[in-house]
Amino acid sequence: MTRSHPSRRAVLRGGLTLAGLGALWRPDWFLPALSADDVLVPFTDLPATLNFAPTPDRRLLDVRTIEGAITPADQFFTTQHYGHPAIDPDAFRLRVTGLVSRTLALSIDELKQMRSIDVVAGFECSGNRRPLQGLCSNGRWTGIPLRAVLDRAAVRPEAREFIFFGADHGEEEVEFRGRTFTIDQAFGRSLPREKAMGAGPLLAFALNSEPLTAHQGFPLRLVVPGWYGVANVKWLAHIHVQEDPYLGKYQARWYRTVRQEEIEGSTTWTETAVTHMQPKSFIARVTQHDSRACTVTGVVLHDGTPLRSVEVRVNDEPWQPATVDEVTADDRYSWKLFTWTWTPAEPGEYTLVSRVTDVRGRVQPTVEELETKKTFLEDNSQHPRTVRIERVG
Ligand SMILES: Nc1nc2c(c(=O)[nH]1)N[C@H]1C(S)=C(S)[C@@H](COP(=O)(O)O)O[C@H]1N2
Ligand SMILES: [Mo]
């Protein structure tokens, strides 16, 4: 093993031994210490053409390299619809308009003078799914509670709908009864009054104690803990408060879920907006120690409802309880990391899968159970992974 530490990512890709990486491997949670005898067990279900190479405005997290509760900012997944807008931070003002008693235009300095808080929140793009599951991350956000800014603007009693516009915009074709017209519009998302005025949402200016990067929405973004990625409006420039529902493209059309449901004995088709996260778990990595015990490591993403259990199963054997790491377990909106120890009896091909259940009794569904969902967003189905164990004992 060479002493000139190659990037851990490259090593994991190659499936080589993890020996000699002690200096790079400093988990801030209880991942068992890896020794010279630990090897990565490759997933055989991953396509050979797997590509994590970032483009200027899109980056996936290689979940096999997760080494702690917090995703470093330069590894945080990223995506958006209109590219990155150019923003002059000195000229920047957050405007608050509509059904408020005081219209606001706040500079970043004025915002930073308000009392800031830290929230650890994990989120995933609602389009995150197999085989990579790479559109998710977990960060420590610093910002001003949205509620404090809305209180300063003095929201009027008739206000029901809070729209958050980014500085990014683009031309959209709007279809209406067979006719189409083109308009230039800003990226916009809305929250209902109870959510906007509640304790959760944050106007964040820092991630992991560093100013946001352009990817993350510099200088200001909305963070809605427990909600899918799309709610977290980047380059937040304008909050408009109104009474009527907002039906912009990314609110009412692109981010919706169509599913068949049985309601009181009758079959009903529902179309709902993408809002809070559906409980999901997946296995991120398997390592084997000294050709014997394997450590199965995984991730849970959820809406902040406490978890009842995280379980793992091998082939068709009974489900076994996994252990949720303490660092993440106590942080309501953090993703949760879990481990499970497994000693395969003999070499061979195995299927491993995890499932999470929350205290409200929501169980992560199988692919078959999710077949009545016709649109690909909000895919929280159980994700079986296959591994080949080469040697035992
Ligand atoms: N202004 C703006 N905010 C946006 C988007 C966008 O296109 N424009 N995309 C959303 C979507 S779909 C996701 S998944 C997250 C991604 O956030 P990240 O790049 O910090 O991971 O940003 C959300 N916020
Ligand atoms: Mo997304």
Side-chain angles (χ1 to χ4, degrees), residues 86 92 224 276 284 387:
F92 175 88
V224 186
H276 65 88
V387 291

Side-chain angles (χ1 to χ4, degrees), residues 3 5 8 102 115 117-118 130 149 158 167 184 208 212 223 265 284 289 326 332-334 352 367 384:
R3 292 252 100 194
H5 304 306
R8 202 170 65 77
R102 272 188 300 280
R115 198 140 72 96
I117 56 165
D118 273 15
R130 67 190 69 194
V149 170
E158 63 273 31
D184 187 80
N208 304 344
L212 299 179
V223 172
H289 180 72
E326 283 168 30
R332 180 168 177 194
Y333 293 111
S334 173
L352 302 172
V367 173

Side-chain angles (χ1 to χ4, degrees), residues 149-205:
V149 170
L150 294 177
D151 281 348
R152 197 183 264 206
V155 171
R156 297 164 64 100
E158 63 273 31
R160 305 247 64 85
E161 184 86 340
F162 294 67
I163 314 169
F164 301 84
F165 291 111
D168 53 332
H169 57 97
E171 297 227 312
E172 295 292 352
E173 296 203 330
V174 178
E175 191 273 340
F176 181 75
R177 302 194 182 190
R179 301 186 63 170
T180 304
F181 52 98
T182 305
I183 51 174
D184 187 80
Q185 56 185 264
F187 179 85
R189 288 281 306 180
S190 67
L191 293 176
R193 183 183 179 110
E194 317 75 74
K195 193 70 197 171
M197 302 287 281
L202 197 69
L203 300 175
F205 50 78

Side-chain angles (χ1 to χ4, degrees), residues 77 79-81 124-128 135 228-231 255 377:
F77 91 94
T79 186
Q80 63 280 301
H81 293 281
E124 62 170 344
C125 175
S126 51
N128 192 34
L135 288 168
Y228 280 112
V230 68
Y255 288 92
L377 302 178

Side-chain angles (χ1 to χ4, degrees), residues 320-336:
Q320 303 290 333
T323 306
V324 176
D325 129 69
E326 283 168 30
V327 173
T328 56
D330 297 337
D331 239 322
R332 180 168 177 194
Y333 293 111
S334 173
W335 68 11
K336 309 293 180 280

Side-chain angles (χ1 to χ4, degrees), residues 2-286:
T2 155
R3 292 252 100 194
S4 67
H5 304 306
S7 92
R8 202 170 65 77
R9 180 167 299 224
V11 171
L12 289 172
R13 274 233 184 105
L16 303 172
T17 169
L18 297 170
L21 292 171
L24 298 177
W25 189 276
R26 286 246 175 71
D28 53 348
W29 59 301
F30 77 105
L31 245 190
L34 289 163
S35 72
D37 308 322
D38 287 317
V39 293
L40 184 83
V41 181
F43 294 129
T44 52
D45 59 301
L46 285 181
T49 53
L50 189 68
N51 184 4
F52 278 96
T55 64
D57 70 359
R58 193 173 160 96
R59 180 172 56 216
L60 296 162
L61 175 66
D62 184 342
V63 299
R64 295 167 299 177
T65 67
I66 294 171
E67 55 185 16
I70 301 293
T71 310
D74 63 357
Q75 289 169 32
F76 213 92
F77 91 94
T78 189
T79 186
Q80 63 280 301
H81 293 281
Y82 299 132
H84 296 171
I87 295 180
D88 171 0
D90 297 327
F92 175 88
R93 296 289 179 277
L94 171 67
R95 295 194 300 133
V96 184
T97 62
L99 293 176
V100 292
S101 299
R102 272 188 300 280
T103 296
L104 303 179
L106 300 170
S107 69
I108 288 294
D109 281 346
E110 283 172 297
L111 277 164
K112 284 187 177 168
Q113 277 158 23
M114 300 175 70
R115 198 140 72 96
S116 66
I117 56 165
D118 273 15
V119 175
V120 175
F123 62 76
E124 62 170 344
C125 175
S126 51
N128 192 34
R129 57 196 189 279
R130 67 190 69 194
L132 302 179
Q133 303 285 4
L135 288 168
C136 64
S137 293
N138 195 55
R140 179 180 302 280
W141 303 95
T142 305
I144 310 301
L146 170 62
R147 174 72 199 242
V149 170
L150 294 177
D151 281 348
R152 197 183 264 206
V155 171
R156 297 164 64 100
E158 63 273 31
R160 305 247 64 85
E161 184 86 340
F162 294 67
I163 314 169
F164 301 84
F165 291 111
D168 53 332
H169 57 97
E171 297 227 312
E172 295 292 352
E173 296 203 330
V174 178
E175 191 273 340
F176 181 75
R177 302 194 182 190
R179 301 186 63 170
T180 304
F181 52 98
T182 305
I183 51 174
D184 187 80
Q185 56 185 264
F187 179 85
R189 288 281 306 180
S190 67
L191 293 176
R193 183 183 179 110
E194 317 75 74
K195 193 70 197 171
M197 302 287 281
L202 197 69
L203 300 175
F205 50 78
L207 171 64
N208 304 344
S209 308
E210 298 287 338
L212 299 179
T213 63
H215 286 99
Q216 294 143 6
F218 176 83
L220 192 69
R221 87 179 297 172
L222 179 66
V223 172
V224 186
W227 283 38
Y228 280 112
V230 68
N232 303 282
V233 177
K234 306 197 273 191
W235 314 290
L236 179 67
H238 183 189
I239 303 174
H240 185 70
V241 184
Q242 63 187 38
E243 192 166 359
D244 297 327
Y246 168 69
L247 299 179
K249 172 175 175 177
Y250 293 110
Q251 181 65 26
R253 296 194 289 287
W254 267 51
Y255 288 92
R256 70 191 208 280
T257 295
V258 180
R259 52 174 116 215
Q260 183 189 323
E261 285 183 55
E262 301 301 318
I263 299 178
E264 304 269 340
S266 63
T267 301
T268 306
W269 283 95
T270 60
E271 284 191 58
T272 52
V274 167
T275 57
H276 65 88
M277 285 187 275
Q278 307 290 335
K280 171 194 263 189
S281 72
F282 60 85
I283 292 169
R285 172 172 67 238
V286 178

